[in-house]
Amino acid sequence: SAGDNRDLASMQSYPDSIRAFISGKTLALWTIILLGAGVVFDLINVGTESLQLFLISAQPETASAALSSNETDISELPRSGLQMAVILFGGMAAVLNILLIIVTAIVFLIWEHRANSNLRPLGVPRPEYSSRWAVGSWFVPILNLFVPFKIISYIWRKSDPDDLNADGAF
C-alpha cells in the first residue's frame, strides 16, 4: 500500500544514517573558544573600567574638564593623556566585545541547527522540533524565555549515545 511505501522510504538503514550525520564537534569547539574569548574581553573591560574609576578619583578635575562644555584644553591637565588612552581603549574593547557576542551567537545557532538536524540520522524518526524552529525560537519574544531551553534539552536527551541500540534506533 502507499502508506507502507512512505514509511519504508522514510526509514533509513544504519549505514545511510551514518552518511547523513554531520558532526557538530567543530562548531561546538568554536562556540566554546568564542565564549572563552568573551570571558577574556569581559575581564579586560572590568580592568579598563576599574582603571578609569581610579584615574577619575585621583584626578577629578581632569574628568570634569573633559565632560564640561567650555573650551578647556584638557591636554594640559594632569594624566589627561592616560585618561584619554584608557577611554579609547575601553571603547575599542567594548566594540570588539559586541562583535564577539554576535559572532558567538551565530556560531552557536549554526551548531544548534546542526545538532537538531542530526537527530534523524541518530534514529529519531520525527523530531518534535524542526531545525528552523530550534534557531527561530530564540527570536520570538516571551517564547525565547523558555522554548529554546526545551529544545536544547530535547536535543540533549535524544542525542544521548547511551540511548542508541546496536541498530542505531532509540
Side-chain angles (χ1 to χ4, degrees):
S1 80
D4 293 335
N5 289 337
R6 268 183 290 181
D7 289 340
L8 289 174
S10 67
M11 288 202 244
Q12 294 178 329
S13 67
Y14 186 67
D16 291 339
S17 296
I18 295 299
R19 275 184 254 137
F21 181 87
I22 301 171
S23 176
K25 200 174 196 176
T26 303
L27 289 168
L29 179 63
W30 273 108
T31 301
I32 292 168
I33 290 169
L34 290 168
L35 286 170
V39 169
V40 170
F41 269 94
D42 287 340
L43 291 174
I44 289 170
N45 283 335
V46 167
T48 302
E49 294 293 326
S50 299
L51 183 56
Q52 283 180 3
L53 289 173
F54 172 76
L55 290 172
I56 288 171
S57 65
Q59 300 294 328
E61 64 278 356
T62 304
S64 63
L67 296 174
S68 71
S69 59
N70 35 351
E71 301 290 324
T72 308
D73 184 13
I74 63 168
S75 63
E76 297 175 3
L77 295 172
R79 294 190 187 157
S80 63
L82 180 59
Q83 284 189 6
M84 293 307 286
V86 169
I87 289 170
L88 289 174
F89 180 78
M92 282 186 343
V95 168
L96 289 174
N97 200 13
I98 290 169
L99 292 174
L100 185 65
I101 289 169
I102 292 169
V103 169
T104 304
I106 290 169
V107 171
F108 172 77
L109 292 173
I110 293 169
W111 169 84
E112 184 178 12
H113 185 276
R114 169 97 33 96
N116 196 69
S117 298
N118 281 336
L119 291 178
R120 283 185 189 267
L122 288 174
V124 179
R126 290 183 189 91
E128 283 183 36
Y129 307 100
S130 72
S131 296
R132 288 180 180 173
W133 180 238
V135 172
S137 66
W138 289 95
F139 300 100
V140 179
I142 307 300
L143 293 181
N144 64 3
L145 298 175
F146 55 90
V147 172
F149 176 78
K150 282 178 58 177
I151 294 172
I152 292 290
S153 297
Y154 177 79
I155 293 170
W156 178 266
R157 281 191 321 275
K158 295 298 183 178
S159 298
D160 188 358
D162 293 336
D163 288 343
L164 287 173
N165 296 330
D167 63 351
F170 283 90

